Amino acid sequence: MPELPEVETLASSVKRACEGAKLDSIEVFRKDILSPLSDENPAWYAKAKVGKVYRHGKTLLFSFQKDKQERVLGVRLGMSGQLLKRCLGEPKQVHTHAAIRFLDRDFEFHYVDARRFGKLFLLKKPDSLMKGIDALKISPKDFVALLAKRTGRIKALLMHQGIIAGVGNIYATEALFASRIHPYQQPNELSEKQLLSLYKAMRKFLLASIRRGGTTIRDFLSLDGNIGTNQKSLKVYGKKGLPCPQCKTLIQALRPGPKAQAAYYCPKCQRM
DNA sequence: GCCACTGTTAGCAT
DNA sequence: CATGCTAACAGTGG
């Protein structure tokens, strides 16, 4: 899915487009796109004012005010979710599950999601969407402290949203390659120096991708419907069988189970 | 057509 | 609690 840089790309244009606007309505065409964690109805949002638009990890959040009350809309794009700016009256494209309409804008937002792994959250409070420390806000010290004592696989842990929020397969893979760490290495076996190098690599890749409008492997589109360009900078993600850019050894993909995510890595540069 | 693959994560089993 | 496996889904490529 859209990981942190893709959601950041989206969040900054959503912010520009609608902070301070007045909502007409949120219309949900398929109610199973609403997360069961939701504790508010779409009807509450009619005529509310758009407050802050922000991002935590991979979640895009809107706050709304009406009658001195506050509500939240959370958007998680899953693997194939898109939030698109559409002209008023423009017909829905396939897999459009919700629309966000404004009284004082000449466009609307459509939530489009073929696979429907994504969810919309209508909530009184954002707390349930704020788990983990955002990968761009965590300090090097906290990063080391959170990982240093853990067992299991470093890659799985980096991607665990309840610990560090925002990193998925692409950025975990690239950060591990850059810091020459094997994806299955146990964090408690890594030195502080290695963890710090991983921290720096993670930040560097996240920030570089934001500058390029995110990584589009297949489905990610910005609010305006454009693809990102960061995919050109990937070194190992999805490169199974291609030569490592460092040492020319062929990139391999580890697969812990038949349905598990591939862990791409260079067997020579990233030793256990 | 079938099978394998895809950027996630909640929920359950161990 | 920590960790690991599975399902929810639709599209694409071999």
Side-chain angles (χ1 to χ4, degrees), chain A residues 24-183:
Chain A
D24 181 9
S25 64
I26 296 179
E27 187 179 356
V28 177
F29 306 116
R30 258 197 92 113
K31 67 173 196 262
D32 64 1
I33 208 67
L34 292 180
S35 162
L37 291 177
S38 297
D39 58 10
E40 188 52 273
N41 300 309
W44 186 90
Y45 295 79
K47 321 297 179 207
K49 185 186 160 220
V50 183
K52 285 281 172 206
V53 173
Y54 56 108
R55 176 194 62 73
H56 178 80
K58 307 178 190 177
T59 309
L60 170 67
L61 294 110
F62 299 72
S63 66
F64 295 99
Q65 288 90 38
K66 190 175 78 173
D67 305 332
K68 303 198 173 166
Q69 290 185 315
E70 178 106 11
R71 293 291 185 271
V72 171
L73 163 67
V75 181
R76 280 201 190 139
L77 300 173
M79 291 172 86
S80 57
Q82 301 166 337
L83 190 69
L84 298 171
K85 191 195 246 184
R86 307 275 292 173
C87 296
L88 296 182
E90 201 177 350
K92 289 186 289 190
Q93 57 185 83
V94 281
H95 306 305
T96 299
H97 306 310
I100 300 173
R101 304 204 174 88
F102 304 94
L103 290 171
D104 47 5
R105 294 292 186 275
D106 60 358
F107 53 79
E108 58 190 42
F109 295 158
H110 284 185
Y111 181 71
V112 179
D113 188 352
R115 295 181 69 180
R116 272 184 281 129
F117 283 27
K119 285 280 177 280
L120 303 186
F121 299 76
L122 304 180
L123 295 167
K124 297 193 170 78
K125 299 228 168 296
D127 306 22
S128 59
L129 299 176
M130 303 294 285
K131 302 239 155 70
I133 307 182
D134 189 84
L136 283 182
K137 294 201 182 109
I138 192 168
S139 69
K141 224 176 151 179
D142 288 345
F143 181 88
V144 171
L146 280 175
L147 297 184
K149 288 182 184 161
R150 302 246 180 184
T151 58
R153 293 165 176 164
I154 182 67
K155 178 164 174 279
L157 220 45
L158 266 185
M159 293 167 56
H160 191 299
Q161 302 304 300
I163 304 170
I164 295 162
V167 178
N169 204 1
I170 295 176
Y171 300 97
T173 297
E174 295 294 328
L176 286 166
F177 173 74
S179 47
R180 305 176 67 89
I181 297 169
H182 190 288

Side-chain angles (χ1 to χ4, degrees), chain A residues 175-230:
Chain A
L176 286 166
F177 173 74
S179 47
R180 305 176 67 89
I181 297 169
H182 190 288
Y184 286 4
Q185 185 86 43
Q186 293 209 33
N188 63 2
E189 293 168 354
L190 293 168
S191 66
E192 186 174 328
K193 196 177 158 192
Q194 284 179 301
L195 287 170
L196 285 172
S197 131
L198 181 58
Y199 172 84
K200 284 186 195 142
M202 174 186 80
R203 271 188 79 84
K204 185 180 140 189
F205 276 92
L206 293 171
L207 292 169
S209 182
I210 290 170
R211 285 197 300 273
R212 299 183 181 116
T215 302
T216 298
I217 302 291
R218 164 171 258 152
D219 294 312
F220 173 69
L221 294 179
S222 70
L223 187 65
D224 296 313
N226 299 313
I227 64 169
T229 60
N230 189 245

